[in-house]
Amino acid sequence: MPDRGGARRSTDAPVAALSHPTRIAIDIGGTFTDLVLSRADGVLATRKVPSTPADYSQGIVDGVTELLSSSGVPAQAVDDLVHATTVAANTIIEQKGARTALLTTRGFRDVLEMRRLRIPTLYDLGYEKPAPLVPRRHRYEVTERLGPDGQVWQELDESSVESLMPELREQGIEAVAVSLLHAYADPGHELRVVELIREQLGDDVYLSWSSDVLPEIREYERTSTTVVNAYIAPIVRRYLRSLVERLKSVGLGAPVRIMQSGGGTTTVSAAIRRPAHIIESGPAAGVIGAARLARLTETDNMISLDMGGTTAKTAIIEQGEPVTTSEYEVGGGVNLSSRLVKGGGYAVKLPYIDVSEIGAGGGSIITLDEFGRIRVGPQSAGADPGPACYGRGGDHATLTDAFVVLGYLNQSHLTGGEMTIDASLAEHAIDVALAGPLGISPTEAAFGAFTLSVATMTRAVKAVSTYRGRDPREFAMCAFGGNGPVVAAAIATALEMKTVVIPPSPGVFSAAGLIFSSWEYHFARTVPRRVRAPSSAELQALYDDLEAHLRAAVSEDGVGDEPFEITRMADLRYSGQAFELTVPVGAGPPDQAVLSARFVEEHRRTYGHASDDPVQLANVRLVARQAATVAASPNGGPLSGTGPTGQARNAYFGGDGAIVTPVVPRAALSRPRAGPLIVEEYDSTCVVPAGWLASLDDYGNIRLTSGGSA
């Protein structure tokens, strides 16, 4: 079911036996904010409150205050706060960023216009590429030129920079992006340009330069990433500073960490310097939670399914770690896969968890197209008025209405009775939108919409698995969000997956993922052309130099007091290829031959073939990561539940008609039970079809097994 209005009551779920820091996790969305408190005794308390778009920090403070009060925890006892936010993403989507200027090498003013020759929809003759975030009148050229190895072909003419300052002031520029040709090879010219701007404009403008944000090859991606960073920075800075001050005003002076798009956290100061790293922090939080669950349950390979009220998101986890990508676009709307569908947004070549997102959520509107075919989404009824069954005046049929008609959701209320549901309104909406025009019953029409949504989400799962050379049958599915557990078994059946895991409190699971996150830093550098086939000593020198910069950044942000691990990686490609694959380097002296062999293996697994062509090293990478401080014990403890006992209702799973289906709380699965079965909880509902066995594991997760019997 989609996110609901009103404050969510605190529910305790013991997850640990050992003492650990008291931590608050905050996952903010456009409509609702989810909060999770991890107490020092290992108990989790959760709350869901309405977001406050006019000032998101106000809603956060209200929710945190309520959560602390209901949990009996004083503000001074909180050790740190972890936050995932949509502020950066919304800034791009709504085109409400800062007035930004771009300074670039003479002759390269139109890199943002030329982009890459890619379109998101094949054969779409009406495709229009997104307008650059910096209009041409605010893109300026400076006189200088470097070669690809960093050699100076033309010295920087400082007067060409200084002459631009009056116009930048006159135009009211709030942020300046500096991206000079081949600055990844030698940042000297860029740093001098930044220095000149700072001397002339002071702190009145935000400065972002490519050799700091993305010191890698590819002119368009590097320039686009730098521009995005500058465009959102003043808004992110204003929001984060306001949040910190508001938290302090209610006695919360603990450090605040921000979730990054790649799955690790960073400090507020680092997020303000490089806000492009936090654009997709919300979706990343849920995947981090699923990855932790995979490690906890010793499930090496897992696919996450996060379905809320508007979208469904999937990601893949291998050997307990989320799969990441640096080929990402933001602001292009819902995407099947950033690697597969490009051209609809703005390139940000930074580490992102590889998430596939589609417009299928509980609030997705169901319609018939001009050919009489059912369509689900991507338009959404939102939370107000919401689905027809809410009784708030909404007259559009939605997926939630279909779930009610099918009997999957409670026919009279949700959220433990806090939200009234009118099943007759749901049936009427489905009848008007689908059943009447098609000449079928509302139940059959609702099941058709459900089947279509499952097919669409199956495609999203394939985007992160089958399309990457991975077989989903070799993975378990972790389903969460308000609606993930409703559709999970049906999707798993379509993909022939054998196991589905539903974590406790699935409706706020993304916020819970923040509780178990750790800080993380990514550094990368393009390998100079003269050492494209470096010796072991040259390769080690590259990593040593990069590590020195990484340690300096960690020390500057004050997060490296505790021990942390550094992981080495490398980007390689076949000679003549345009893009790379990332492979681990491992411990010991790095060796080009070993890396090439790993690349060939990954290329064969990803694309189904390999070649004898020479392999080139493009970039070296380092990731610094501190282990999470919150641990969990194998014993989840007793489950608290508000679900029904000894109840049943008619539910339709296709075939001859509705089936009388038992409705039970999670705790009733202490002994295995075969489907059909419905598990009702405060924040979600789990549907167990026939042919699936439901049970609880040692951590309180619902584990669905295909083909099982009680």
Side-chain angles (χ1 to χ4, degrees), residues 615-637:
V615 176
Q616 295 180 337
L617 176 63
N619 304 302
V620 293
R621 297 185 180 277
L622 290 179
V623 179
R625 182 185 293 118
Q626 184 180 32
T629 56
V630 179
S633 71
N635 227 334

Side-chain angles (χ1 to χ4, degrees), residues 38 51 62 115 183 256 321 324 356 385 470 501 521 523 549 645:
S38 174
S51 296
D62 292 343
R115 301 167 56 90
V256 177
E321 294 295 331
T324 60
S356 173
R470 276 65 167 173
V501 179
Y521 280 71
F523 272 69
H549 285 81
T645 57

Side-chain angles (χ1 to χ4, degrees), residues 35 44 115 121 183 212 453 471 616-617 620 640 644 646-647:
L35 302 102
L44 295 186
R115 301 167 56 90
T121 306
D212 175 61
S453 68
D471 188 343
Q616 295 180 337
L617 176 63
V620 293
S640 62
Q647 296 185 11

Side-chain angles (χ1 to χ4, degrees), residues 542-593:
L542 288 171
Y543 279 111
D544 288 345
D545 184 57
L546 192 59
E547 182 175 334
H549 285 81
L550 184 151
R551 290 186 178 277
V554 170
S555 176
E556 180 183 352
D557 288 337
V559 298
D561 296 336
E562 299 295 329
F564 58 90
E565 296 180 350
I566 295 179
T567 303
R568 299 183 298 180
M569 295 176 291
D571 296 345
L572 297 100
R573 64 188 178 196
Y574 285 120
S575 178
Q577 278 188 324
F579 292 90
E580 303 83 31
L581 290 174
T582 303
V583 300
V585 174
D591 184 274
Q592 172 78 20

Side-chain angles (χ1 to χ4, degrees), residues 504-529:
S505 298
V508 294
F509 185 71
S510 288
L514 293 169
I515 287 288
F516 306 104
S517 61
S518 58
W519 62 257
E520 188 172 285
Y521 280 71
H522 290 257
F523 272 69
R525 180 167 299 167
T526 293
V527 177
R529 293 179 62 187

Side-chain angles (χ1 to χ4, degrees), residues 370-389:
E370 62 270 29
F371 302 107
R373 298 174 302 190
I374 296 176
R375 297 188 61 179
V376 179
Q379 293 78 20
S380 174
D384 187 14
C389 63

Side-chain angles (χ1 to χ4, degrees), residues 16 87 110 113 159 213 280 282 409 423 478 512 517 553 580:
V87 169
D110 296 318
E113 296 275 8
S159 64
V213 176
E280 294 292 337
L409 297 184
C478 177
S517 61
E580 303 83 31

Side-chain angles (χ1 to χ4, degrees), residues 290 301-305 314-317 460-462 464-466 470-473 475-480 495 497:
N301 298 328
M302 185 173 278
I303 294 174
S304 66
L305 171 67
T314 66
I316 191 170
I317 296 157
V461 173
K462 287 183 177 180
V464 297
S465 57
T466 306
R470 276 65 167 173
D471 188 343
R473 293 173 296 184
F475 290 75
M477 177 182 290
C478 177
F480 52 95
L495 293 167
M497 300 173 70

